[in-house]
Amino acid sequence: FEVLETKHILFCKADDNYTEIYLNDNRKKLVSKTLKYFEDILKDSSFARIHKSYLVNVNEITKYVKGKGGTVVLSNGKELSVSASKKADLLAYFK
């Protein structure tokens, strides 16, 4: 059991019924909860679902690259795809 501060989370990635949590110190945690579970508990903490596989900390986004859905670049340089259906929700955070 480990308590993580949300500000240390870069993004979460779905892995079937597990979620991989990527931290800003280059560590990764595997948790036996679904991405939907984390989406629900983090909905009030500046996290946005950008793809069926990704939940991202919007405070860690440094750049958005336009495209059909586009991609986001995080503070660690990692680039993640944004699905076309989630694009509007993501861009709403920056208005």
Side-chain angles (χ1 to χ4, degrees):
F1 184 82
E2 184 176 355
V3 176
L4 300 172
E5 290 188 57
T6 56
K7 67 182 180 185
H8 296 280
I9 299 172
L10 288 173
F11 68 98
C12 302
K13 180 182 177 185
D15 185 6
D16 289 326
N17 288 325
Y18 292 87
T19 300
E20 297 172 358
I21 299 175
Y22 291 81
L23 305 171
N24 58 10
D25 62 1
N26 293 321
R27 291 185 302 146
K28 177 173 83 169
K29 301 288 182 184
L30 184 64
V31 183
S32 60
K33 299 279 186 190
T34 64
L35 191 61
K36 175 72 173 138
Y37 170 83
F38 287 103
E39 182 181 13
D40 290 342
I41 65 169
L42 294 171
K43 68 179 179 261
D44 297 327
S45 301
S46 298
F47 280 79
R49 185 76 176 255
I50 62 167
H51 190 276
K52 67 177 180 158
S53 299
Y54 297 116
L55 180 66
V56 69
N57 183 344
V58 294
N59 297 319
E60 295 292 336
I61 296 173
T62 59
K63 186 162 99 175
Y64 172 75
V65 181
K66 288 183 179 181
K68 182 176 180 183
T71 59
V72 291
V73 179
L74 302 179
S75 60
N76 68 346
K78 179 81 172 163
E79 203 167 320
L80 302 175
S81 296
V82 178
S83 69
S85 62
K86 302 288 186 183
K87 181 179 177 178
D89 294 340
L90 172 66
L91 295 178
Y93 275 91
F94 300 104
K95 289 185 178 180

Coordinates of all heavy atoms in Angstrom, one line a residue:
F1 N 0.9 -1.2 0.0 CA 0.0 0.0 0.0 C 0.9 1.2 0.0 O 1.8 1.3 0.8 CB -0.9 0.0 1.3 CG -1.9 1.1 1.3 CD1 -3.1 1.0 0.6 CD2 -1.6 2.2 2.1 CE1 -4.0 2.0 0.7 CE2 -2.6 3.2 2.1 CZ -3.7 3.1 1.5
E2 N 0.6 2.1 -0.9 CA 1.4 3.4 -1.0 C 0.5 4.5 -1.4 O -0.3 4.4 -2.3 CB 2.5 3.2 -2.1 CG 3.5 4.3 -2.2 CD 4.6 4.1 -3.2 OE1 4.7 3.0 -3.8 OE2 5.3 5.0 -3.5
V3 N 0.7 5.6 -0.7 CA 0.0 6.9 -1.0 C 0.8 7.7 -1.9 O 2.0 8.0 -1.6 CB -0.3 7.6 0.3 CG1 -1.0 8.9 0.0 CG2 -1.2 6.7 1.3
L4 N 0.2 8.2 -3.0 CA 0.9 9.0 -4.0 C 0.2 10.4 -4.0 O -1.0 10.5 -3.9 CB 0.8 8.4 -5.4 CG 1.4 7.1 -5.6 CD1 1.1 6.5 -7.0 CD2 2.9 7.1 -5.4
E5 N 1.0 11.4 -4.1 CA 0.4 12.8 -4.3 C 0.1 12.9 -5.7 O 0.9 12.6 -6.6 CB 1.4 13.8 -3.8 CG 1.6 13.9 -2.3 CD 2.5 15.1 -1.9 OE1 2.0 16.2 -2.3 OE2 3.5 14.9 -1.3
T6 N -1.1 13.5 -6.0 CA -1.5 13.6 -7.4 C -0.6 14.5 -8.2 O -0.4 14.3 -9.4 CB -3.0 14.2 -7.5 OG1 -3.0 15.4 -6.8 CG2 -4.0 13.2 -6.9
K7 N 0.1 15.4 -7.6 CA 1.0 16.3 -8.3 C 2.2 15.6 -8.9 O 2.9 16.1 -9.7 CB 1.4 17.5 -7.5 CG 2.3 17.2 -6.3 CD 2.6 18.4 -5.5 CE 3.5 18.0 -4.3 NZ 3.7 19.1 -3.4
H8 N 2.5 14.4 -8.3 CA 3.6 13.6 -8.8 C 3.2 12.7 -9.9 O 4.1 12.0 -10.5 CB 4.2 12.8 -7.6 CG 4.8 13.6 -6.6 ND1 6.0 14.2 -6.6 CD2 4.2 14.0 -5.4 CE1 6.2 14.9 -5.5 NE2 5.2 14.8 -4.8
I9 N 1.9 12.6 -10.3 CA 1.5 11.7 -11.3 C 1.5 12.4 -12.7 O 0.9 13.5 -12.8 CB 0.1 11.2 -11.1 CG1 0.0 10.4 -9.8 CG2 -0.4 10.3 -12.2 CD1 -1.4 10.0 -9.3
L10 N 2.2 11.9 -13.7 CA 2.2 12.5 -15.0 C 1.0 12.0 -15.8 O 0.2 12.8 -16.3 CB 3.5 12.0 -15.8 CG 4.8 12.6 -15.4 CD1 5.9 11.9 -16.1 CD2 4.8 14.1 -15.6
F11 N 0.8 10.7 -15.8 CA -0.3 10.1 -16.5 C -0.6 8.7 -16.1 O 0.3 8.1 -15.5 CB -0.2 10.2 -18.1 CG 0.9 9.3 -18.6 CD1 0.5 8.0 -19.2 CD2 2.2 9.7 -18.7 CE1 1.5 7.2 -19.7 CE2 3.2 8.9 -19.2 CZ 2.8 7.6 -19.8
C12 N -1.8 8.2 -16.4 CA -2.1 6.8 -16.1 C -2.5 6.1 -17.4 O -3.1 6.8 -18.3 CB -3.4 6.7 -15.2 SG -3.2 7.6 -13.6
K13 N -2.1 4.9 -17.6 CA -2.3 4.1 -18.8 C -3.0 2.9 -18.5 O -2.7 2.1 -17.6 CB -0.9 3.8 -19.5 CG -1.1 3.1 -20.7 CD 0.3 2.7 -21.3 CE 0.2 1.9 -22.6 NZ 1.5 1.5 -23.1
A14 N -4.1 2.6 -19.3 CA -4.9 1.4 -19.1 C -4.1 0.1 -19.5 O -3.4 0.2 -20.5 CB -6.2 1.5 -19.9
D15 N -4.2 -0.9 -18.8 CA -3.6 -2.2 -19.1 C -4.6 -3.3 -18.7 O -4.4 -3.9 -17.6 CB -2.2 -2.3 -18.4 CG -1.5 -3.6 -18.8 OD1 -1.9 -4.3 -19.7 OD2 -0.4 -3.9 -18.2
D16 N -5.6 -3.5 -19.5 CA -6.7 -4.4 -19.2 C -7.4 -4.0 -17.8 O -7.8 -2.9 -17.7 CB -6.3 -5.9 -19.1 CG -6.0 -6.4 -20.5 OD1 -6.7 -6.0 -21.5 OD2 -5.0 -7.2 -20.6
N17 N -7.4 -4.9 -16.8 CA -8.0 -4.5 -15.6 C -7.0 -3.9 -14.6 O -7.2 -3.8 -13.4 CB -8.7 -5.7 -14.9 CG -9.9 -6.1 -15.7 OD1 -10.7 -5.2 -16.1 ND2 -10.2 -7.4 -15.8
Y18 N -5.9 -3.5 -15.1 CA -4.8 -2.8 -14.3 C -4.6 -1.4 -14.9 O -5.0 -1.1 -16.0 CB -3.5 -3.6 -14.4 CG -3.5 -5.0 -13.7 CD1 -4.0 -6.1 -14.4 CD2 -3.1 -5.1 -12.4 CE1 -4.0 -7.3 -13.8 CE2 -3.2 -6.3 -11.8 CZ -3.6 -7.4 -12.5 OH -3.7 -8.7 -11.9
T19 N -3.9 -0.6 -14.1 CA -3.5 0.7 -14.5 C -2.1 0.9 -14.2 O -1.6 0.6 -13.1 CB -4.4 1.8 -13.8 OG1 -5.7 1.6 -14.2 CG2 -3.9 3.2 -14.3
E20 N -1.3 1.4 -15.2 CA 0.1 1.8 -15.0 C 0.1 3.3 -14.7 O -0.4 4.1 -15.4 CB 0.9 1.5 -16.2 CG 1.0 0.1 -16.6 CD 1.7 -0.2 -18.0 OE1 2.1 0.8 -18.6 OE2 1.8 -1.3 -18.3
I21 N 0.7 3.6 -13.5 CA 0.7 5.0 -13.1 C 2.2 5.5 -13.3 O 3.1 4.9 -12.7 CB 0.3 5.2 -11.6 CG1 -1.2 4.8 -11.5 CG2 0.5 6.7 -11.2 CD1 -1.7 4.8 -10.0
Y22 N 2.4 6.5 -14.1 CA 3.7 7.0 -14.4 C 3.9 8.3 -13.6 O 3.1 9.2 -13.7 CB 3.8 7.3 -15.9 CG 3.9 6.1 -16.8 CD1 2.7 5.4 -17.1 CD2 5.1 5.6 -17.2 CE1 2.7 4.3 -17.9 CE2 5.1 4.4 -18.0 CZ 3.9 3.8 -18.3 OH 3.9 2.6 -19.1
L23 N 5.0 8.3 -12.9 CA 5.3 9.4 -12.0 C 6.4 10.3 -12.5 O 7.2 9.9 -13.4 CB 5.8 8.8 -10.6 CG 4.8 7.9 -9.9 CD1 5.4 7.2 -8.7 CD2 3.5 8.6 -9.6
N24 N 6.5 11.5 -12.0 CA 7.4 12.5 -12.6 C 8.9 12.2 -12.2 O 9.8 13.0 -12.6 CB 7.0 13.9 -12.3 CG 6.9 14.2 -10.8 OD1 7.2 13.4 -9.9 ND2 6.3 15.4 -10.5
D25 N 9.1 11.2 -11.4 CA 10.5 10.8 -11.0 C 10.9 9.6 -11.8 O 11.9 8.9 -11.4 CB 10.7 10.6 -9.5 CG 9.8 9.5 -9.0 OD1 9.1 8.9 -9.8 OD2 9.9 9.3 -7.8
N26 N 10.2 9.3 -12.9 CA 10.5 8.2 -13.8 C 10.2 6.8 -13.3 O 10.6 5.8 -13.8 CB 12.0 8.2 -14.3 CG 12.2 9.4 -15.2 OD1 11.4 9.8 -16.0 ND2 13.4 10.0 -15.1
R27 N 9.4 6.8 -12.2 CA 9.0 5.5 -11.6 C 7.6 5.2 -12.3 O 6.9 6.1 -12.7 CB 8.8 5.6 -10.1 CG 10.2 5.7 -9.4 CD 10.0 5.6 -7.9 NE 9.1 6.6 -7.4 CZ 8.2 6.5 -6.4 NH1 8.2 5.3 -5.7 NH2 7.5 7.4 -6.0
K28 N 7.3 3.9 -12.2 CA 6.0 3.4 -12.7 C 5.4 2.5 -11.7 O 6.1 1.6 -11.2 CB 6.2 2.7 -14.1 CG 5.0 2.1 -14.7 CD 5.2 1.6 -16.1 CE 5.8 0.2 -16.0 NZ 5.8 -0.5 -17.3
K29 N 4.2 2.6 -11.4 CA 3.4 1.7 -10.5 C 2.4 1.0 -11.3 O 1.7 1.6 -12.1 CB 2.8 2.5 -9.4 CG 3.8 3.3 -8.6 CD 4.6 2.5 -7.7 CE 5.5 3.3 -6.8 NZ 6.4 2.5 -6.1
L30 N 2.2 -0.3 -11.0 CA 1.1 -1.1 -11.6 C 0.1 -1.3 -10.5 O 0.4 -1.9 -9.4 CB 1.7 -2.4 -12.1 CG 0.6 -3.3 -12.8 CD1 0.1 -2.6 -14.1 CD2 1.3 -4.6 -13.2
V31 N -1.2 -0.9 -10.7 CA -2.2 -1.0 -9.7 C -3.4 -1.9 -10.3 O -3.7 -1.8 -11.5 CB -2.7 0.4 -9.4 CG1 -3.8 0.4 -8.3 CG2 -1.6 1.3 -9.0
S32 N -3.9 -2.7 -9.4 CA -5.0 -3.6 -9.8 C -6.4 -2.9 -9.8 O -7.3 -3.4 -9.2 CB -5.0 -4.9 -9.0 OG -5.2 -4.5 -7.6
K33 N -6.5 -1.8 -10.4 CA -7.7 -1.0 -10.6 C -7.8 -0.6 -12.0 O -6.8 -0.4 -12.7 CB -7.8 0.2 -9.7 CG -7.7 -0.1 -8.2 CD -9.0 -0.5 -7.7 CE -9.0 -0.6 -6.1 NZ -10.1 -1.2 -5.6
T34 N -9.0 -0.4 -12.5 CA -9.2 0.0 -13.9 C -8.9 1.5 -14.1 O -8.9 2.3 -13.1 CB -10.6 -0.2 -14.4 OG1 -11.5 0.6 -13.7 CG2 -10.9 -1.7 -14.3
L35 N -8.7 2.0 -15.3 CA -8.5 3.4 -15.6 C -9.7 4.2 -15.3 O -9.6 5.3 -14.8 CB -8.1 3.6 -17.1 CG -7.6 5.0 -17.4 CD1 -6.3 5.3 -16.6 CD2 -7.3 5.0 -18.9
K36 N -10.9 3.6 -15.5 CA -12.2 4.2 -15.2 C -12.2 4.6 -13.7 O -12.7 5.6 -13.3 CB -13.3 3.3 -15.6 CG -14.7 3.8 -15.2 CD -15.1 5.0 -16.0 CE -16.6 5.4 -15.7 NZ -16.8 6.8 -15.6
Y37 N -11.7 3.7 -12.8 CA -11.7 3.9 -11.4 C -10.9 5.2 -11.1 O -11.3 6.0 -10.3 CB -11.1 2.7 -10.7 CG -10.7 2.9 -9.2 CD1 -11.7 2.8 -8.3 CD2 -9.5 3.3 -8.8 CE1 -11.5 3.0 -6.9 CE2 -9.2 3.5 -7.5 CZ -10.2 3.4 -6.5 OH -9.9 3.6 -5.2
F38 N -9.7 5.3 -11.7 CA -8.9 6.5 -11.5 C -9.5 7.7 -12.1 O -9.4 8.8 -11.5 CB -7.4 6.2 -12.0 CG -6.7 5.3 -11.1 CD1 -6.5 4.0 -11.4 CD2 -6.2 5.7 -9.8 CE1 -5.8 3.1 -10.6 CE2 -5.5 4.9 -9.0 CZ -5.3 3.5 -9.4
E39 N -10.1 7.6 -13.2 CA -10.8 8.7 -13.8 C -11.9 9.3 -12.9 O -12.0 10.5 -12.7 CB -11.5 8.3 -15.1 CG -12.1 9.4 -15.9 CD -12.8 9.0 -17.2 OE1 -13.0 7.8 -17.4 OE2 -13.2 9.9 -17.9
D40 N -12.6 8.4 -12.2 CA -13.7 8.8 -11.3 C -13.1 9.5 -10.0 O -13.6 10.5 -9.6 CB -14.5 7.6 -10.9 CG -15.4 7.1 -12.0 OD1 -15.6 7.9 -13.0 OD2 -15.9 6.0 -11.9
I41 N -12.0 8.9 -9.5 CA -11.5 9.5 -8.2 C -10.7 10.8 -8.4 O -10.5 11.6 -7.5 CB -10.8 8.5 -7.3 CG1 -9.5 8.0 -8.0 CG2 -11.6 7.4 -6.9 CD1 -8.6 7.2 -7.1
L42 N -10.2 11.0 -9.7 CA -9.3 12.1 -10.0 C -10.0 13.2 -10.8 O -9.4 14.2 -11.2 CB -8.1 11.7 -10.7 CG -7.1 10.8 -10.0 CD1 -6.0 10.2 -10.9 CD2 -6.5 11.5 -8.8
K43 N -11.3 13.1 -10.9 CA -12.1 14.0 -11.8 C -12.0 15.5 -11.3 O -12.1 16.4 -12.1 CB -13.5 13.6 -12.0 CG -14.4 13.6 -10.8 CD -15.8 13.1 -11.1 CE -16.7 13.2 -9.9 NZ -16.8 11.9 -9.3
D44 N -11.8 15.7 -10.0 CA -11.7 17.0 -9.5 C -10.3 17.5 -9.3 O -10.0 18.5 -8.6 CB -12.5 17.1 -8.1 CG -13.9 16.8 -8.3 OD1 -14.5 17.2 -9.4 OD2 -14.5 16.3 -7.4
S45 N -9.3 16.8 -9.8 CA -7.9 17.0 -9.6 C -7.1 17.4 -10.8 O -5.9 17.0 -11.0 CB -7.2 15.9 -8.9 OG -7.9 15.6 -7.7
S46 N -7.6 18.0 -11.8 CA -6.9 18.4 -13.0 C -6.4 17.3 -13.9 O -5.3 17.3 -14.4 CB -5.8 19.4 -12.7 OG -6.2 20.5 -12.1
F47 N -7.2 16.2 -13.9 CA -6.9 15.1 -14.8 C -7.9 15.0 -15.9 O -9.1 15.1 -15.6 CB -6.8 13.7 -14.0 CG -5.5 13.6 -13.2 CD1 -5.3 14.2 -12.0 CD2 -4.5 12.7 -13.7 CE1 -4.1 14.1 -11.3 CE2 -3.3 12.6 -13.0 CZ -3.2 13.2 -11.8
A48 N -7.4 14.7 -17.1 CA -8.4 14.6 -18.2 C -8.2 13.3 -18.9 O -7.0 12.8 -19.2 CB -8.1 15.7 -19.2
R49 N -9.3 12.6 -19.3 CA -9.2 11.4 -20.1 C -9.0 11.9 -21.6 O -9.8 12.6 -22.1 CB -10.5 10.6 -20.0 CG -10.6 9.3 -20.6 CD -9.8 8.3 -19.8 NE -9.9 6.9 -20.4 CZ -10.6 6.0 -19.9 NH1 -11.3 6.2 -18.8 NH2 -10.6 4.8 -20.5
I50 N -7.9 11.5 -22.1 CA -7.5 12.0 -23.5 C -7.7 10.9 -24.5 O -7.5 11.2 -25.7 CB -6.1 12.6 -23.6 CG1 -5.1 11.6 -23.2 CG2 -6.1 13.9 -22.7 CD1 -3.7 12.1 -23.6
H51 N -7.9 9.7 -24.1 CA -7.9 8.5 -25.0 C -8.5 7.4 -24.2 O -8.5 7.4 -22.9 CB -6.4 8.2 -25.4 CG -6.3 7.2 -26.5 ND1 -6.3 5.9 -26.2 CD2 -6.1 7.4 -27.8 CE1 -6.1 5.3 -27.4 NE2 -6.0 6.1 -28.3
K52 N -8.9 6.3 -24.8 CA -9.4 5.2 -24.1 C -8.4 4.6 -23.2 O -8.7 3.9 -22.2 CB -10.0 4.1 -25.0 CG -9.0 3.4 -25.9 CD -9.6 2.4 -26.7 CE -8.5 1.7 -27.6 NZ -8.8 0.5 -28.0
S53 N -7.1 4.8 -23.5 CA -6.0 4.2 -22.7 C -5.3 5.2 -21.8 O -4.4 4.8 -21.1 CB -5.0 3.6 -23.7 OG -5.6 2.6 -24.5
Y54 N -5.6 6.5 -21.9 CA -4.8 7.5 -21.1 C -5.6 8.5 -20.3 O -6.6 9.0 -20.8 CB -3.9 8.3 -22.1 CG -2.9 7.5 -22.8 CD1 -3.0 7.4 -24.2 CD2 -1.9 6.9 -22.2 CE1 -2.0 6.7 -24.9 CE2 -0.9 6.1 -22.9 CZ -1.0 6.1 -24.3 OH -0.1 5.4 -25.0
L55 N -5.2 8.7 -19.1 CA -5.7 9.7 -18.2 C -4.5 10.6 -17.9 O -3.5 10.1 -17.3 CB -6.3 9.1 -17.0 CG -6.9 10.0 -15.9 CD1 -8.1 10.7 -16.5 CD2 -7.2 9.2 -14.7
V56 N -4.5 11.9 -18.2 CA -3.3 12.7 -18.1 C -3.5 13.8 -17.1 O -4.6 14.4 -16.9 CB -2.9 13.2 -19.4 CG1 -3.8 14.2 -20.0 CG2 -1.5 13.8 -19.4
N57 N -2.4 14.2 -16.3 CA -2.4 15.3 -15.5 C -2.2 16.5 -16.3 O -1.2 16.8 -16.9 CB -1.3 15.2 -14.4 CG -1.2 16.3 -13.4 OD1 -1.8 17.3 -13.6 ND2 -0.5 16.1 -12.4
V58 N -3.3 17.4 -16.5 CA -3.2 18.5 -17.4 C -2.1 19.5 -17.0 O -1.6 20.3 -17.8 CB -4.5 19.2 -17.6 CG1 -5.5 18.3 -18.3 CG2 -5.1 19.7 -16.3
N59 N -1.7 19.5 -15.7 CA -0.7 20.4 -15.3 C 0.7 20.0 -15.8 O 1.7 20.8 -15.7 CB -0.6 20.5 -13.7 CG -1.9 21.1 -13.2 OD1 -2.5 22.0 -13.7 ND2 -2.4 20.5 -12.1
E60 N 0.8 18.8 -16.3 CA 2.1 18.3 -16.8 C 2.2 18.4 -18.3 O 3.2 18.1 -18.9 CB 2.3 16.9 -16.4 CG 2.4 16.6 -14.9 CD 3.7 17.2 -14.3 OE1 4.7 17.4 -15.1 OE2 3.7 17.5 -13.1
I61 N 1.1 18.9 -19.0 CA 1.2 19.1 -20.4 C 1.9 20.4 -20.8 O 1.6 21.5 -20.3 CB -0.3 19.2 -21.0 CG1 -1.0 17.9 -20.8 CG2 -0.3 19.5 -22.5 CD1 -2.5 17.9 -21.2
T62 N 2.9 20.2 -21.6 CA 3.7 21.4 -22.1 C 3.4 21.8 -23.5 O 3.6 23.0 -23.8 CB 5.2 21.1 -22.0 OG1 5.5 20.0 -22.9 CG2 5.7 20.8 -20.6
K63 N 2.8 20.9 -24.3 CA 2.5 21.3 -25.6 C 1.3 20.4 -26.2 O 1.2 19.2 -25.8 CB 3.7 21.1 -26.5 CG 3.6 21.5 -27.9 CD 5.0 21.7 -28.5 CE 5.4 20.5 -29.3 NZ 6.7 20.7 -30.0
Y64 N 0.5 21.0 -27.0 CA -0.5 20.2 -27.8 C -0.2 20.3 -29.2 O 0.0 21.4 -29.8 CB -1.9 20.8 -27.5 CG -3.0 20.1 -28.4 CD1 -3.4 18.8 -28.1 CD2 -3.5 20.8 -29.4 CE1 -4.3 18.3 -28.9 CE2 -4.4 20.3 -30.2 CZ -4.9 19.0 -30.0 OH -5.8 18.4 -30.8
V65 N -0.1 19.2 -29.9 CA 0.2 19.2 -31.4 C -1.1 18.9 -32.1 O -1.7 17.8 -31.8 CB 1.3 18.1 -31.7 CG1 1.6 18.1 -33.2 CG2 2.5 18.4 -30.9
K66 N -1.5 19.8 -33.0 CA -2.8 19.6 -33.7 C -2.8 18.3 -34.6 O -1.7 17.9 -35.1 CB -3.1 20.8 -34.6 CG -3.5 22.0 -33.8 CD -3.8 23.1 -34.8 CE -4.3 24.4 -34.1 NZ -4.6 25.4 -35.0
G67 N -4.0 17.8 -34.8 CA -4.1 16.7 -35.7 C -5.6 16.3 -35.6 O -6.4 17.0 -35.0
K68 N -5.9 15.1 -36.2 CA -7.3 14.6 -36.1 C -7.7 14.7 -34.6 O -8.8 15.2 -34.2 CB -7.5 13.3 -36.7 CG -8.9 12.7 -36.6 CD -9.0 11.4 -37.3 CE -10.4 10.9 -37.3 NZ -10.6 9.6 -37.9
G69 N -7.0 14.0 -33.8 CA -7.2 14.1 -32.3 C -6.0 14.9 -31.7 O -6.2 15.7 -30.8
G70 N -4.8 14.7 -32.3 CA -3.7 15.4 -31.9 C -2.9 14.6 -30.9 O -3.2 13.4 -30.6
T71 N -1.8 15.2 -30.4 CA -1.0 14.6 -29.3 C -0.7 15.6 -28.3 O -0.7 16.8 -28.6 CB 0.3 14.0 -29.9 OG1 1.0 15.0 -30.5 CG2 0.1 12.9 -30.8
V72 N -0.4 15.2 -27.1 CA 0.1 16.1 -26.0 C 1.5 15.7 -25.7 O 1.9 14.5 -25.8 CB -0.8 16.1 -24.8 CG1 -2.1 16.7 -25.0 CG2 -0.9 14.7 -24.2
V73 N 2.3 16.7 -25.4 CA 3.7 16.4 -24.9 C 3.7 16.8 -23.4 O 3.3 17.9 -23.0 CB 4.7 17.3 -25.7 CG1 6.1 17.0 -25.2 CG2 4.6 17.0 -27.2
L74 N 4.2 15.9 -22.6 CA 4.3 16.1 -21.2 C 5.7 16.7 -20.8 O 6.6 16.7 -21.6 CB 4.1 14.7 -20.5 CG 2.7 14.1 -20.8 CD1 2.6 12.7 -20.0 CD2 1.6 15.0 -20.4
S75 N 5.7 17.1 -19.5 CA 6.9 17.7 -19.0 C 8.2 16.8 -19.1 O 9.3 17.3 -19.1 CB 6.7 18.2 -17.6 OG 6.4 17.0 -16.7
N76 N 8.0 15.5 -19.2 CA 9.2 14.6 -19.3 C 9.5 14.3 -20.7 O 10.4 13.5 -21.0 CB 8.9 13.3 -18.5 CG 7.8 12.4 -19.1 OD1 7.1 12.9 -20.0 ND2 7.8 11.2 -18.7
G77 N 8.8 14.9 -21.7 CA 9.0 14.7 -23.1 C 8.2 13.6 -23.7 O 8.2 13.4 -24.9
K78 N 7.5 12.9 -22.9 CA 6.6 11.8 -23.4 C 5.5 12.4 -24.2 O 4.8 13.3 -23.9 CB 6.1 11.0 -22.2 CG 5.2 9.8 -22.6 CD 5.9 8.6 -23.0 CE 4.9 7.4 -23.2 NZ 5.5 6.4 -23.9
E79 N 5.2 11.7 -25.4 CA 4.1 12.2 -26.3 C 3.0 11.1 -26.2 O 3.2 10.0 -26.4 CB 4.7 12.3 -27.7 CG 3.9 13.2 -28.5 CD 4.6 13.6 -29.8 OE1 5.8 13.8 -29.8 OE2 3.9 13.7 -30.9
L80 N 1.8 11.6 -26.0 CA 0.6 10.7 -25.9 C -0.5 11.1 -26.9 O -0.7 12.3 -27.1 CB 0.0 10.8 -24.5 CG 0.9 10.4 -23.3 CD1 0.1 10.6 -22.0 CD2 1.3 9.0 -23.4
S81 N -1.1 10.2 -27.5 CA -2.2 10.4 -28.5 C -3.4 10.9 -27.8 O -3.8 10.4 -26.7 CB -2.5 9.2 -29.3 OG -1.4 8.8 -30.0
V82 N -4.1 11.8 -28.5 CA -5.4 12.3 -28.0 C -6.4 11.8 -29.0 O -6.3 12.0 -30.2 CB -5.5 13.8 -28.0 CG1 -6.9 14.3 -27.5 CG2 -4.4 14.4 -27.0
S83 N -7.5 11.1 -28.6 CA -8.5 10.6 -29.5 C -9.4 11.8 -30.0 O -9.5 12.8 -29.2 CB -9.4 9.5 -28.9 OG -10.2 10.1 -27.9
A84 N -9.9 11.7 -31.2 CA -10.7 12.7 -31.8 C -11.9 13.0 -30.9 O -12.3 14.2 -30.7 CB -11.1 12.3 -33.2
S85 N -12.5 12.0 -30.3 CA -13.7 12.2 -29.4 C -13.4 12.8 -28.1 O -14.3 13.4 -27.4 CB -14.3 10.8 -29.2 OG -13.5 9.9 -28.5
K86 N -12.1 12.8 -27.6 CA -11.7 13.4 -26.4 C -11.1 14.8 -26.5 O -10.8 15.5 -25.5 CB -10.8 12.5 -25.6 CG -11.3 11.1 -25.3 CD -12.4 11.2 -24.3 CE -12.8 9.7 -23.9 NZ -13.9 9.7 -22.9
K87 N -10.8 15.2 -27.8 CA -10.1 16.4 -28.0 C -10.8 17.7 -27.4 O -10.1 18.5 -26.8 CB -9.9 16.6 -29.6 CG -9.2 17.8 -30.0 CD -9.1 17.8 -31.5 CE -8.4 19.0 -32.1 NZ -8.3 19.0 -33.5
A88 N -12.1 17.8 -27.6 CA -12.8 19.0 -27.1 C -12.7 19.1 -25.6 O -12.6 20.1 -25.0 CB -14.2 19.0 -27.6
D89 N -12.8 17.9 -24.9 CA -12.8 17.9 -23.5 C -11.4 18.4 -23.0 O -11.3 19.1 -22.0 CB -13.0 16.5 -22.9 CG -14.5 16.0 -23.2 OD1 -15.4 16.8 -23.4 OD2 -14.7 14.8 -23.2
L90 N -10.4 17.9 -23.7 CA -9.0 18.3 -23.3 C -8.8 19.8 -23.5 O -8.3 20.5 -22.6 CB -8.0 17.5 -24.1 CG -6.5 18.0 -23.9 CD1 -6.1 17.8 -22.5 CD2 -5.6 17.4 -24.9
L91 N -9.2 20.3 -24.6 CA -9.0 21.7 -25.0 C -9.8 22.6 -24.0 O -9.4 23.8 -23.8 CB -9.3 22.0 -26.4 CG -8.3 21.3 -27.4 CD1 -8.8 21.6 -28.8 CD2 -6.9 21.6 -27.2
A92 N -10.9 22.1 -23.5 CA -11.7 22.9 -22.6 C -10.9 23.3 -21.3 O -11.2 24.3 -20.6 CB -13.0 22.2 -22.2
Y93 N -9.9 22.5 -20.9 CA -9.1 22.8 -19.7 C -8.3 24.0 -19.9 O -7.9 24.6 -18.9 CB -8.2 21.6 -19.4 CG -8.8 20.5 -18.6 CD1 -9.4 19.4 -19.2 CD2 -8.8 20.6 -17.2 CE1 -10.0 18.4 -18.4 CE2 -9.3 19.6 -16.4 CZ -10.0 18.5 -17.0 OH -10.5 17.5 -16.3
F94 N -8.0 24.4 -21.2 CA -7.1 25.5 -21.4 C -7.8 26.8 -21.9 O -7.2 27.7 -22.3 CB -6.1 25.1 -22.5 CG -5.3 23.9 -22.0 CD1 -5.6 22.6 -22.5 CD2 -4.3 24.0 -21.1 CE1 -4.8 21.5 -22.1 CE2 -3.6 22.9 -20.7 CZ -3.8 21.7 -21.2
K95 N -9.1 26.8 -21.7 CA -9.9 28.0 -22.1 C -10.0 29.0 -20.9 O -9.9 28.7 -19.8 CB -11.2 27.7 -22.6 CG -11.2 27.0 -23.9 CD -12.5 26.8 -24.5 CE -12.4 26.2 -25.9 NZ -13.6 25.9 -26.5

